[in-house]
Amino acid sequence: MKRLTAEDPRRIGGFRLLNRLGEGGMGRVYLARSDRGRTVAVKVVKNELARQPDFRRRFAREITAARRVGGAWTAPVLDADPEAETPWVATGYIAGPSLAEVVKVQYGPLPEGSVTGLASGLFHALRDIHGAGLVHRDLKPSNILITIDGPRVIDFGIARALHPMVETAGGLTRTGMLVGSPAFMSPEQVRGRTVTAASDIFCLGVVLAYAATGRMPFGTADNGVHGLMFRIAEEEPDLTGLSGKLLDIVSSCLAKNPEQRPELEELIPSTKDALSGTWLPSALLAQLGRHAVQLLDSEDPEVTGEIRIGAAAPSTAQVSALPATRPSVTAFGGIGAPALASEVAGGDSSTRETATLPSLPGAVPHTVPGAPADDLVSLSPGTPEEPPALPRRSKRRLAVGAVAAVVVAGAAFAAPGSGLLGSDGGTQTSSDVPEEYVGTWSGPVERTGEGGAGQYRRFVIARGDVGEIVTRNVDLGADYQCTSNGKLASAKGSLTIEAKVIKSVPEGKCSAPGTNRLSLGPDSTLQWEADGRRALLHKVRTPERLPKEFLGTWQRQSSGGGTQRVTVKQLSADRKSIDLVLQSADRKCEAQASVFSVGGESEPVLIGPSVVDWRTSADDCPTANTSRLRVEDGRLIREFLDADKKYTYDRVS
């Protein structure tokens, strides 16, 4: 929070300004009071945006949409004037700390009961938002404020009005960019696909995992935004530390396929009564209580004369008359002081009051350690802008979370093989990886001219710069499958990749092959070399599709008297595996095997070793090694690479 300067107005509409709360891509936010004494936040749009008719129309439509939300889990829009010379909007002020501040600065990871309460409040908040026909698109810890009676969701409706014009260091840039918080995006956001309410469910799962563990389940952007987005779209989350009901909730929310995520109406009963009574740790509640009076101590600025914006009375009628349609945009994020929540609905300020507490004091502006680089958290008490405290009556200040908009130019991981594209559906900005390398490549491994004995190599290569993760590498053997991330070490003449194993099947089997070298070969091939091995890889046509005759459920009788069942579904960006079930009188084993490649007629499908789902399987369930699948005379044939063994399955559906 900062003092007003000579360039700041002293009144906007019917609100008297007290301090600056923050500033960002759309404009400036002020702490203010209404003539009736209510504390509010007022956002004033930047002049350069105000001069653009398209922006004004989006801004007005988003205000109208925000009024439709309603509910007790957000902050109300109290007044706005999108037609003023300098457009502005006023919202109820929620002074609680952000979840990011609580977890990384004030307290640490929350106990399970508190996270369950957090989930309950967020379920209801999203139900209100989605019920109004809106999608938040930027649900993250710094957009969630913590109060004694539950969480509040902010910054969703109006922030989206910024797209497709987003601010960069060089000015305003149009489409071909993603705006948001990479660590808290859904797979469909990363891929630039249609974003629905299911995207908010995925982001909710990430938020809950963060609140419970203090970690982002897909890591941070320390090694590059491309790598982070790759993990979100392609890899499983790290949910270490979660258990029981909370693990089930988070796991279901983080399904890659939007259609497999639960509906809010399914989730709400699972946290019934979680917010009844005390939902926060006692130490956190005590801090909130001690500082509740600080809001009353924010004094009016001492000024001579006044500068006024929108001095006319409220423009509620003007705003309400605007069309209720919502623009079809993909922007998310924006500046936000906690009060700048454009997401809440109707009713005027005389009938919709929100009782909240100020946030926790005690820090200066900084980036929260371990939080996403895009979440700038500003904590104001004791900052150098404040004069020394007076002996008796000091001007104590409130802590507020200021959310910086993140503009990721070309941030989508645009490997054709991975299906990750930018918001405009096209390729993104240039990088150290030449265009000819980008895509998915696969082929058998050779050893100095000798056959690779059933070893295969697969690379998904994306754009990126030296020092960033640009590849996902899969090394498949007769009894193992090793997945690695590859960091670009050099791009001079060829690509030098330093690999790090991220998944081993079975566990402990894999070790990284050291330095990988990739170079373009003859006839549009890719040559790979590492540790004395080499392979000539061919580009994979994308998207990879299984022949229709493979699809369905197949079954065979096992030697022990039980049944083995294989379920083959069509491949997609969210599903690249087949389901395996072994069932007998005394046990049931469920597993999955990833599809490594879809080849020619003689070897149409190559699958890796099976991974048993221990949550649904008996303790003594076996695993199966790498195998080939083919369909012959209406039956599914499964042949293993490490043994002269073949299974034949009959179709059951």
Side-chain angles (χ1 to χ4, degrees):
M1 189 181 299
K2 297 181 180 180
R3 291 174 178 269
L4 300 179
T5 67
E7 67 181 68
D8 293 313
R10 266 48 187 180
R11 292 188 69 88
I12 295 177
F15 304 100
R16 185 171 63 258
L17 305 189
L18 307 179
N19 295 100
R20 287 189 188 185
L21 287 176
E23 188 168 2
M26 276 183 63
R28 186 170 291 161
V29 187
Y30 297 96
L31 181 70
R33 284 216 178 97
S34 70
D35 291 339
R36 298 179 59 197
R38 178 169 184 167
T39 302
V40 303
V42 179
K43 173 185 271 189
V44 179
V45 171
K46 285 185 173 182
N47 290 332
E48 55 265 39
L49 291 175
R51 289 192 291 267
Q52 301 174 24
D54 286 346
F55 175 83
R56 280 182 177 269
R57 283 192 290 270
R58 284 191 298 274
F59 185 68
R61 285 197 298 264
E62 293 292 357
I63 292 172
T64 303
R67 289 181 177 274
R68 300 202 309 265
V69 176
W73 306 101
T74 49
V77 174
L78 304 176
D79 196 10
D81 190 353
E83 301 299 328
E85 181 178 354
T86 304
W88 57 272
V89 60
T91 67
Y93 180 69
I94 299 177
S98 72
L99 178 62
E101 295 168 37
V102 168
V103 172
K104 285 298 180 183
V105 178
Q106 303 291 347
Y107 185 83
L110 295 173
E112 183 175 346
S114 296
V115 179
T116 305
L118 174 70
S120 179
L122 295 180
F123 294 161
H124 287 85
L126 288 179
R127 183 173 65 176
D128 290 345
I129 293 167
H130 296 168
L134 303 176
V135 180
H136 191 294
R137 302 175 187 236
D138 197 22
L139 189 69
K140 58 185 178 182
S142 52
N143 278 346
I144 299 167
L145 305 182
I146 303 300
T147 72
I148 285 178
D149 55 351
R152 300 291 185 271
V153 176
I154 64 167
D155 274 358
F156 76 91
I158 292 176
R160 293 184 303 166
L162 189 59
H163 188 81
M165 296 171 290
V166 289
E167 189 178 34
T168 66
L172 293 175
T173 305
R174 290 188 176 266
T175 56
M177 308 182 87
L178 289 178
V179 185
S181 310
F184 296 93
M185 287 183 181
S186 66
E188 53 268 35
Q189 283 177 299
V190 169
R191 296 184 178 109
R193 296 177 180 174
T194 301
V195 174
T196 66
S199 177
D200 286 345
I201 300 299
F202 185 93
C203 299
L204 172 63
V206 178
V207 166
L208 295 178
Y210 167 83
T213 66
R215 304 185 318 274
M216 272 62 71
F218 297 98
T220 67
D222 291 346
N223 291 323
V225 173
H226 294 122
L228 171 60
M229 290 187 167
F230 187 93
R231 294 191 295 273
I232 291 171
E234 300 290 341
E235 296 178 4
E236 295 303 311
D238 177 6
L239 300 182
T240 305
L242 297 178
S243 61
K245 179 171 66 175
L246 193 56
L247 175 61
D248 292 339
I249 291 173
V250 173
S251 298
S252 64
C253 290
L254 293 181
K256 301 292 187 187
N257 187 343
E259 296 180 358
Q260 295 177 349
R261 296 172 203 153
E263 300 285 343
L264 286 168
E265 296 305 325
E266 300 174 46
L267 292 170
I268 287 174
S270 66
T271 57
K272 184 179 180 181
D273 299 326
L275 282 172
S276 59
T278 300
W279 76 285
L280 291 172
S282 57
L284 192 52
L285 283 171
Q287 284 183 290
L288 287 170
R290 283 195 300 269
H291 297 285
V293 296
Q294 290 189 356
L295 188 60
L296 301 176
D297 285 343
S298 288
E299 298 178 349
D300 294 347
E302 299 175 1
V303 297
T304 57
E306 288 189 343
I307 304 172
R308 297 170 67 92
I309 289 180
S315 54
T316 303
Q318 188 176 20
V319 172
S320 300
L322 292 169
T325 57
R326 178 168 57 96
S328 178
V329 297
T330 58
F332 32 86
I335 112 160
L340 185 63
S342 49
E343 63 276 48
V344 191
D348 56 50
S349 58
S350 64
T351 60
R352 301 185 62 82
E353 297 290 329
T354 303
T356 57
L357 293 175
S359 61
L360 311 178
V364 296
H366 66 294
T367 300
V368 177
D374 48 271
D375 281 353
L376 179 64
V377 177
S378 174
L379 306 178
S380 57
T383 60
E385 288 90 354
E386 282 289 9
L390 298 176
R392 288 187 176 274
R393 184 172 178 80
S394 63
K395 292 184 179 180
R396 287 176 288 178
R397 304 165 61 191
L398 307 178
V400 293
V403 183
V406 175
V407 179
V408 184
F413 204 52
S418 64
L420 308 183
L421 298 174
S423 59
D424 59 355
T427 58
Q428 300 298 308
T429 57
S430 61
S431 71
D432 290 340
V433 177
E435 175 70 24
E436 311 88 88
Y437 284 86
V438 174
T440 301
W441 306 80
S442 182
V445 174
E446 298 177 355
R447 294 181 185 272
T448 60
E450 298 177 1
Q455 294 184 3
Y456 297 83
R457 197 75 182 178
R458 183 181 177 96
F459 274 83
V460 180
I461 306 176
R463 292 172 179 81
D465 298 327
V466 171
E468 293 185 338
I469 294 173
V470 297
T471 69
R472 183 185 60 180
N473 328 328
V474 183
D475 183 10
L476 184 69
D479 60 351
Y480 65 86
Q481 181 169 326
C482 306
T483 304
S484 305
N485 279 342
K487 183 183 295 185
L488 183 62
S490 172
K492 296 180 180 179
S494 61
L495 303 184
T496 301
I497 305 294
E498 299 296 338
K500 179 181 180 182
V501 174
I502 59 171
K503 185 176 182 180
S504 175
V505 180
E507 290 187 13
K509 181 77 172 182
C510 302
S511 60
T515 300
N516 297 255
R517 289 183 175 83
L518 301 172
S519 58
L520 296 175
D523 301 324
S524 301
T525 57
L526 184 72
Q527 293 180 325
W528 166 78
E529 293 182 62
D531 292 347
R533 293 180 293 163
R534 67 173 183 262
L536 192 64
L537 309 179
H538 295 269
K539 203 161 193 177
V540 175
R541 282 190 305 178
T542 56
E544 288 179 279
R545 307 289 289 175
L546 291 168
K548 291 183 179 179
E549 58 265 29
F550 279 79
L551 306 182
T553 299
W554 309 80
Q555 187 168 292
R556 65 177 288 270
Q557 294 298 122
S558 65
S559 58
T563 59
Q564 290 184 357
R565 190 168 68 248
V566 177
T567 301
V568 184
K569 297 181 180 179
Q570 189 55 269
L571 303 181
S572 68
D574 303 306
R575 181 180 179 84
K576 297 180 180 178
S577 62
I578 66 170
D579 297 324
L580 308 168
V581 177
L582 170 64
Q583 189 162 6
S584 63
D586 58 347
R587 65 177 176 174
K588 181 178 181 180
C589 306
E590 297 186 15
Q592 283 190 330
S594 64
V595 176
F596 179 85
S597 66
V598 178
E601 293 182 0
S602 62
E603 191 177 280
V605 180
L606 184 61
I607 64 174
S610 61
V611 178
V612 173
D613 184 347
W614 296 108
R615 294 174 300 179
T616 58
S617 301
D619 292 337
D620 58 346
C621 288
T623 58
N625 290 339
T626 300
S627 56
R628 298 184 181 97
L629 299 180
R630 57 188 172 88
V631 175
E632 189 175 287
D633 297 329
R635 308 178 82 187
L636 182 70
I637 310 299
R638 183 181 180 192
E639 298 174 305
F640 292 85
L641 301 189
D642 63 341
D644 185 18
K645 183 169 61 176
K646 180 173 70 173
Y647 292 158
T648 301
Y649 299 81
D650 294 310
R651 184 187 293 277
V652 295
S653 67

